[in-house]
């Protein structure tokens, strides 16, 4: 096992990783920008190294500074968290070429899944169901026309280098296809330096359901069930739950078996998430994330497994030590992301937290790096806390979340807590009756009243 790990991140996820290290008896090195001098991850780590100015580009994305910090402190491994360098294959490669361990998948697998076309063709070859569409990259507009005619309109043109909602154009009819093709390619070239595009049938009312997996270095792969992440706005998730209100235990077992077999054949290691669109009872793979995700706690609550601890154990070369049948699910979990934003227009609201009082009690977990007097800097993501609840049933989890948010006091800055309250009391949400479009419609309705 490692004796010292460098955490190449900030905020709540840096604390999350630090806590797992503590429990494993591993010393921690925090890195931070000048704007994060007073951040909680810096205070709690065994050692801290300033790696640059406020701008992420010069600090949390500064590979040379992070590697220097690892070298001078004698860290043996680097945990990238999410965002920043977590899905940067070159970074993973550079870490390993410096004789350090990257706590994550191989650079090759990160690169493979970063190209959405390669990700899809790889998954297809391994038996994972896809959205109907082109067989890989589109060679020409003529080919796009042929495939679109076959799968039926509306269709989407997507950039191979895109993902997470970037580089997508919808063509409602054939008359719109050429325009969508041209715009998608031009934007992809400008944004990613790669104009490869592919085509998919546009699914009009899907849920966004993702499957958490873990693999070790010995081709053992297990899954931890699904998360329903449909409640999002502009590709920013707001509330996630495990399990999905739409998925039965039989469906979970079936898609889980398909996915774990595929990833075992790939030799995938460490944590990964497969994203699916789910509509009319069908799972359609769209993308794979090769990192720990923000919403991983809901999976931890229902499976009672510490995913970050597992990531570290795997990176140290340990075997999983359990199989799929050892993983059981209990109850229901919901996460509300608390952002320092105006709940009406979602504009960021950085500033000083004058009072901070997090909720507690049975089945309530708060992952946050906030404290009274903390100044939320304007340079980074606006997420300041995650409230996670666990309860025997979904209805009880909703009631527990309502109770937890009632207890939560954050003064001095605006947060989206009031919006979460409105969602949790909504009858459609309570029935679990929502798609990826639900939140945008709901917040538009709230604006009107
Ligand atoms: C789609 C789709 C409908 N049909 N693909 C957006 C983010 C990226 N991960 C994939 N996305 C979508 N792909 C087909 N064939 C709708 C979306 C989409 C979406 C997906 C997941 C979560 C939120 C979303 C919001 C808008 C559009």
């Amino acid at each position: 096992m490692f004796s010292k790990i460098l955490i190449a991140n900030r905020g709540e996820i840096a604390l999350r990783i630090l806590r797992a290290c503590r429990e494993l008896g591993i010393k921690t090195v925090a890195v931070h920008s000048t704007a994060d001098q007073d951040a909680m991850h810096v205070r709690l780590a065994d050692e801290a190294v300033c790696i640059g100015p406020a701008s992420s580009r010069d600090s949390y994305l500064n590979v040379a500074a992070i590697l220097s910090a690892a070298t001078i402190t004698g860290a043996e491994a680097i945990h990238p968290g999410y965002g920043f360098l977590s899905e940067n294959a070159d970074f993973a490669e550079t870490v390993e070429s410096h004789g350090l361990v990257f706590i994550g998948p191989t650079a090759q697998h990160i690169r493979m899944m970063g190209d959405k076309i390669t990700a899809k063709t790889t998954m297809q070859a391994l038996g994972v169901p896809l959205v109907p569409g082109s067989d890989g990259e589109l060679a020409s507009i003529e080919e796009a026309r042929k495939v679109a005619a076959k799968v039926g309109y509306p269709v989407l043109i997507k950039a191979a280098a895109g993902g997470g909602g970037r580089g997508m154009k919808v063509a409602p009819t054939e008359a719109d296809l050429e325009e969508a093709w041209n715009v998608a390619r031009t934007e992809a070239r400008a944004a990613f330096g790669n104009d490869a595009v592919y085509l998919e049938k546009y699914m009009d009312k899907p849920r966004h359901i993702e499957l958490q997996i873990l693999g070790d270095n010995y081709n053992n792969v297990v899954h931890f069930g699904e998360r329903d992440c449909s409640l999002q706005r502009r590709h920013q998730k707001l509330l996630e739950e495990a399990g999905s209100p739409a998925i039965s235990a039989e469906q979970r077992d079936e898609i889980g078996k398909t996915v774990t077999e595929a990833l075992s054949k790939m030799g995938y290691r460490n944590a990964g998430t497969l994203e699916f669109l789910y509509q009319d009872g069908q799972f359609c793979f769209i993308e794979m994330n090769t990192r720990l995700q923000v919403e991983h706690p809901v999976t931890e609550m229902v499976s009672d497994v510490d995913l970050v601890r597992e990531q570290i154990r795997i990176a140290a070369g340990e075997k999983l030590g359990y199989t799929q049948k050892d993983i059981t699910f209990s109850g229901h979990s919901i996460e509300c992301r608390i952002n320092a934003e105006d709940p009406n227009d979602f504009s960021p609201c950085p500033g000083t937290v004058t009072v901070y009082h997090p909720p507690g009690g049975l089945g309530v977990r708060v992952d946050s790096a906030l404290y009274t007097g903390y100044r939320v800097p304007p340079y980074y993501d606006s997420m300041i806390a995650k409230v996670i609840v666990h309860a025997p049933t979904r209805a009880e989890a909703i009631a527990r979340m309502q109770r937890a948010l009632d207890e939560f006091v954050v003064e001095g800055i605006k947060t989206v807590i009031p919006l979460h309250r409105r969602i949790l009391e909504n009858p459609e949400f309570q029935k679990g009756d929502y798609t990826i479009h639900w939140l945008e419609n709901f917040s538009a309705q709230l604006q009107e009243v």
Side-chain angles (χ1 to χ4, degrees), residues 156 158 165 168 200-201 203 232 235 275 277 287 436:
L156 277 173
K158 294 186 176 183
M168 271 181 20
E200 284 180 355
K201 180 163 184 65
M203 297 174 69
Q232 56 81 42
H235 305 293
E275 291 189 2
L277 296 179
E287 293 173 21
I436 60 170

Side-chain angles (χ1 to χ4, degrees), residues 187-208:
E187 285 185 4
R189 199 178 308 122
F192 316 117
N194 171 4
D195 63 5
V197 295
Y198 60 106
L199 184 147
E200 284 180 355
K201 180 163 184 65
Y202 176 73
M203 297 174 69
D204 61 344
K205 44 182 191 344
R207 301 177 81 105
H208 181 200

Side-chain angles (χ1 to χ4, degrees), residues 154 156 201-209 228 230 232 246 276-282 432-438 441:
L156 277 173
K201 180 163 184 65
Y202 176 73
M203 297 174 69
D204 61 344
K205 44 182 191 344
R207 301 177 81 105
H208 181 200
I209 296 181
D228 198 317
S230 302
Q232 56 81 42
F276 294 89
L277 296 179
Y278 176 82
Q279 188 172 326
D280 306 324
Q282 302 292 316
D433 181 13
Y434 58 79
T435 70
I436 60 170
H437 304 296
W438 191 87
N441 294 332

Side-chain angles (χ1 to χ4, degrees), residues 228-248:
D228 198 317
C229 305
S230 302
L231 293 186
Q232 56 81 42
R233 183 184 167 276
R234 299 199 183 157
H235 305 293
Q236 293 296 318
K237 294 167 186 167
L238 193 72
L239 181 156
E240 303 98 343
E241 33 187 339
S244 168
I247 302 300
S248 68

